[in-house]
Amino acid sequence: MTQYFTSLSRRLINKFGNRKVPGRVSVVVDVDTKKIYPVPRTIEHIDFVRQIFFGSEEVCGERLSRYIPSHVDIEPTDNNSGDAIGIITGVSGLEISYGARHLVKDLYSAHGMVKEFVERGDVHLRDSLLEDIVVERYALQD
Amino acid sequence: MTERLIDGIVKYNRSLEFNQHLGVVLDRIERYDMRSDEFNRVLGVIDTHTSNEDVALDCVLALADWYTGNVVDQRRYISWQVLKNSLDKGFLSAKIRRVISLSG
């Protein structure tokens, strides 16, 4: 059973890290429950969201808007703890191919939740992130 | 569609050189088809002409939207993934590889 996590722990990174590119952890934020779910390496977002949130129900666009993808890029450091160097929120296959759209306020809320999620965890969140991006391309008007 | 794509891609980069390169590539693309070699060329153009990741991301998302928005069949996502899997990553920068990986 897939579980949510409350911080970007070493255990999470070991299990879910290096998704698609080295150092990346992809998560989905449920903006209603404020829970954060890491996406497994071998599963696409749409399949993951269907499995976790919809079960046997048909995937519905309105509900889909409540699940926001975010990606944390981690760079190794000498002390082996790692630095979070980038957070990008609001884009995945859900938006590009399945038409998921999100409220702008939810995108920023999710982005903030992921930052806090990283800060509570086992990697250092760089003060000046190389990428600190909320993608508004797939946003709904508030 | 080509114009729409170019508009999206050059939104933050209006250099003449960039537009010319991209225009040549996109003018050769059929409406519902993009061969892997064309895809690789477009990605190469974006890679060469974007200096930072957020601009590259904007360009790649414009391309992804253009492509998935114009594939006729219901398997557009699969089709986009097949195209992505055809990428010759050897000649692309880490910047583009990170960005393309965000697109599903």
Side-chain angles (χ1 to χ4, degrees), chain B residues 78-96:
Chain B
I78 302 293
S79 185
W80 171 246
Q81 286 192 309
V82 169
L83 210 49
K84 282 200 325 171
N85 289 338
S86 74
L87 263 185
D88 179 1
K89 293 177 181 169
F91 79 101
L92 293 173
S93 70
K95 168 192 73 185
I96 285 291

Side-chain angles (χ1 to χ4, degrees), chain A residues 96-112:
Chain A
I96 293 169
S97 297
Y98 286 89
R101 296 294 182 265
H102 313 283
L103 293 173
V104 172
K105 66 180 176 63
D106 288 338
L107 288 170
Y108 282 91
S109 171
H111 194 69

Side-chain angles (χ1 to χ4, degrees), chain A:
Chain A
M1 178 181 166
T2 304
Q3 60 187 107
Y4 65 90
F5 283 69
T6 55
S7 69
L8 187 62
S9 64
R10 178 55 53 192
R11 183 168 72 91
L12 184 159
I13 294 167
N14 289 342
K15 186 172 179 183
F16 297 93
N18 298 326
R19 185 176 182 275
K20 297 202 175 184
V21 292
R24 169 152 318 145
V25 172
S26 297
V27 299
V28 171
V29 180
D30 180 339
V31 290
D32 292 325
T33 64
K34 303 190 186 314
K35 289 178 179 170
I36 296 180
Y37 298 81
V39 182
R41 295 180 182 122
T42 55
I43 299 181
E44 294 297 331
H45 276 78
I46 185 65
D47 298 319
F48 179 72
V49 165
R50 182 185 289 128
Q51 174 189 319
I52 299 300
F53 302 110
F54 290 87
S56 58
E57 297 173 47
E58 190 176 342
V59 174
C60 147
E62 193 175 334
R63 267 181 67 198
L64 208 50
S65 71
R66 312 307 293 155
Y67 310 122
I68 297 183
S70 185
H71 310 270
V72 181
D73 284 320
I74 301 164
E75 193 174 75
T77 52
D78 291 342
N79 64 6
N80 207 29
S81 69
D83 272 4
I85 59 168
I87 301 176
I88 299 174
T89 299
V91 62
S92 71
L94 287 172
E95 290 70 30
I96 293 169
S97 297
Y98 286 89
R101 296 294 182 265
H102 313 283
L103 293 173
V104 172
K105 66 180 176 63
D106 288 338
L107 288 170
Y108 282 91
S109 171
H111 194 69
M113 280 189 253
V114 172
K115 275 189 180 172
E116 292 169 7
F117 175 77
V118 175
E119 283 174 335
R120 284 194 298 272
D122 295 330
V123 299
H124 173 248
L125 179 65
R126 274 203 191 157
D127 292 336
S128 180
L129 293 171
L130 295 179
E131 293 101 34
D132 188 4
I133 301 171
V134 175
V135 177
E136 294 189 23
R137 185 181 189 87
Y138 305 105
L140 293 162
Q141 297 304 310
D142 285 315

Side-chain angles (χ1 to χ4, degrees), chain B residues 2-52:
Chain B
T2 299
E3 289 304 314
R4 184 177 147 218
L5 177 57
I6 292 176
D7 283 349
I9 291 178
V10 303
K11 186 176 174 186
Y12 296 109
N13 188 334
R14 299 190 177 281
S15 78
L16 182 61
E17 187 187 17
F18 183 82
N19 289 350
Q20 286 175 339
H21 273 84
L22 203 58
V24 168
V25 173
L26 295 175
D27 282 348
R28 297 167 64 95
I29 295 173
E30 296 294 327
R31 177 169 179 170
Y32 298 127
D33 183 32
M34 182 188 274
R35 297 192 314 264
S36 62
D37 63 315
E38 291 171 321
F39 183 63
N40 275 279
R41 286 172 63 199
V42 172
L43 265 291
V45 170
I46 292 171
D47 197 8
T48 305
H49 291 85
T50 55
S51 55
N52 61 44

